[in-house]
Amino acid sequence: MGQRERLYGSSGSRAGPLRGAGRFVHSLPLLFLAVGALFGLLTPANVSAAPFFTAAPLVGVGIYTVRATVLVGASGLLLLLGVKIAKGGPDEFADQMDLLTVGSVAVLALLINLLVRRGVTALASVRDVAGAAQRALLPVPPERVDGLRVAARYEAARADAQIGGDFYAVQQTPYGVRLVLGDVRGKGLGAVETVVVVLGAFREAAEYEPELETVAARLDAALRRAGAVRGGEDRSEGFATALLAEIPPGPPGDLRLLNRGHPPPFLLSADGTVRSVYPDSPALPLGMSGLTGWPDRVETVPFPGGTTLLMYTDGVTEARDENGVFYDPEARLPGLRGHNPAVLLDMLVRDVARHTGGRTADDMALLAASRESTPAGPSPGEPHPE
């Protein structure tokens, strides 16, 4: 058994039954046709097999193509006619009504199938647009940026949603690699609008502002301007928690962090130890600076070679299992050895899904940057949880 299967269980144990169930459901219309034909031939003439032939095309509406639905409906009608002829009909009024019913239901099933296919096409188009928007707003960062290994993941809570209120960005600047990760208030299109404002301001400010405090001030001002344009209740409620990080260029040294009301990041050292980095002075989220005169304070922490910075949104820490127990990344991370950021994030996402049983209530965004302790080479193998 491979390493992945040992850690998470073979997917075949679940996929096999699912594939079997899918094949069974797909064969149900044919099964109804066969049972209907046998039932009609083996029962007295006054017993109708029409219910089986009407059920067949209706069951196939959601799983069959338009052509297959037509074939099932026509087959049901022909089989019923054959049964009637075998029994000496169709002479009775009831026999004719059975044929009319089966034919009408077959036509109805075809119309429903056409509507379903049209809806599926429209939904696919919407998903394509959402996917394009996500790639534009949250592009996949390059694997290496100025001596760092970088990876990001975005996991939507809803399967049909590809983007929401969580955001991240990585940018190489004259002042080093700058990163931001955060979570805006609210859901839906309003949250996406706020994400656009924050990321647009970050991409400009990160390139030109020499101080991380000034970058945060620019993001805060952009949100307050956007709130003033919207007006009403949104004027004071368009805010976002955010964590900004700066890794200066050159040899391994320090990491600079600025936390605006966001969950603290983790530092994973080369020996597997994990520690969270809480700010010395708490600060309000971006967009709320008008409520207080507190200045931003940058925390400087050592960031030697082999260390990984892990940033995340509260969709991780607020993920619950069936008993309501929250996921604790600080307790789980020491078991995730090996610091290829992409593999680390993949394992963390899967671990959260396993904790919740696949039921998540909030989106998750994760961003990891690892300081390489050796010259760039092949990616290390997938880490092993203890």
Side-chain angles (χ1 to χ4, degrees):
M1 183 179 291
Q3 180 177 335
R4 186 185 301 270
E5 287 73 17
R6 289 197 303 271
L7 299 181
Y8 299 103
S10 173
S11 59
S13 61
R14 296 178 59 186
L18 289 176
R19 285 196 297 267
R23 286 193 294 268
F24 174 74
V25 172
H26 200 268
S27 64
L28 274 178
L30 302 180
L31 183 62
F32 274 113
L33 293 178
V35 171
L38 290 175
F39 183 85
L41 293 173
L42 299 177
T43 56
N46 62 341
V47 178
S48 175
F52 294 99
F53 298 121
T54 57
L58 290 177
V59 172
V61 163
I63 56 178
Y64 278 8
T65 64
V66 172
R67 181 180 179 183
T69 302
V70 171
L71 291 175
V72 169
S75 298
L77 188 60
L78 292 174
L79 285 173
L80 179 61
L81 179 60
V83 169
K84 297 293 185 183
I85 293 175
K87 289 184 174 182
D91 298 328
E92 302 294 332
F93 177 74
D95 295 335
Q96 298 171 7
M97 288 304 299
D98 283 347
L99 290 170
L100 179 62
T101 299
V102 172
S104 300
V105 171
V107 172
L108 178 62
L110 175 60
L111 294 176
I112 296 174
N113 192 297
L114 289 171
L115 292 175
V116 169
R117 297 298 165 185
R118 182 178 299 178
V120 168
T121 301
L123 180 59
S125 178
V126 171
R127 286 178 173 173
D128 288 343
V129 172
Q134 183 189 38
R135 290 189 294 272
L137 286 178
L138 305 176
V140 177
E143 182 181 351
R144 286 188 173 87
V145 182
D146 196 19
L148 302 172
R149 284 183 178 270
V150 178
R153 296 290 183 272
Y154 185 93
E155 297 291 324
R158 289 175 50 192
D160 58 344
Q162 299 191 46
I163 190 167
D166 292 4
F167 61 89
Y168 62 81
V170 179
Q171 191 160 326
Q172 185 174 1
T173 75
Y175 313 102
V177 177
R178 285 176 166 172
L179 309 93
V180 65
L181 180 137
D183 186 2
V184 306
R185 173 194 172 274
K187 304 286 185 183
L189 293 178
V192 175
E193 180 183 355
T194 305
V195 168
V196 172
V197 172
V198 174
L199 291 182
F202 172 79
R203 285 166 181 150
E204 180 180 1
E207 185 69 24
Y208 297 108
E209 296 294 346
E211 301 297 332
L212 203 57
E213 296 93 334
T214 314
V215 175
R218 291 274 297 272
L219 303 189
D220 187 276
L223 278 181
R224 287 189 285 112
R225 285 196 302 270
V229 171
R230 287 192 294 266
E233 293 183 357
D234 290 341
R235 180 184 181 93
S236 60
E237 295 184 357
F239 61 85
T241 66
L243 177 64
L244 292 91
E246 179 182 276
I247 304 171
D254 292 334
L255 165 69
R256 306 180 74 232
L257 296 170
L258 195 157
N259 195 324
R260 294 295 295 265
H262 198 75
F266 293 110
L267 288 179
L268 291 74
S269 64
D271 62 4
T273 58
V274 177
R275 72 182 183 97
S276 54
V277 184
Y278 288 90
D280 291 336
S281 302
L284 292 177
L286 297 172
M288 300 183 68
S289 63
L291 302 179
T292 177
W294 293 346
D296 285 320
R297 297 186 183 276
V298 172
E299 313 287 338
T300 301
V301 296
F303 194 59
T307 304
T308 300
L309 168 68
L310 175 61
M311 306 160 69
Y312 57 94
T313 57
D314 58 10
V316 175
T317 52
E318 294 182 1
R320 306 189 191 195
D321 64 10
E322 59 183 6
N323 298 317
V325 177
F326 289 106
Y327 182 81
D328 184 1
E330 192 163 8
R332 296 292 303 165
L333 285 171
L336 305 181
R337 294 182 178 176
H339 292 248
N340 179 337
V343 175
L344 177 66
L345 294 189
D346 286 342
M347 290 194 67
L348 185 56
V349 168
R350 290 196 296 265
D351 202 39
V352 172
R354 184 168 52 186
H355 177 80
T356 63
R359 302 176 301 274
T360 53
D362 198 3
D363 297 347
M364 295 189 303
L366 302 105
L367 185 58
S370 177
R371 171 80 80 178
E372 295 182 328
S373 56
T374 58
S379 299
E382 188 167 290
H384 301 264
E386 292 180 335

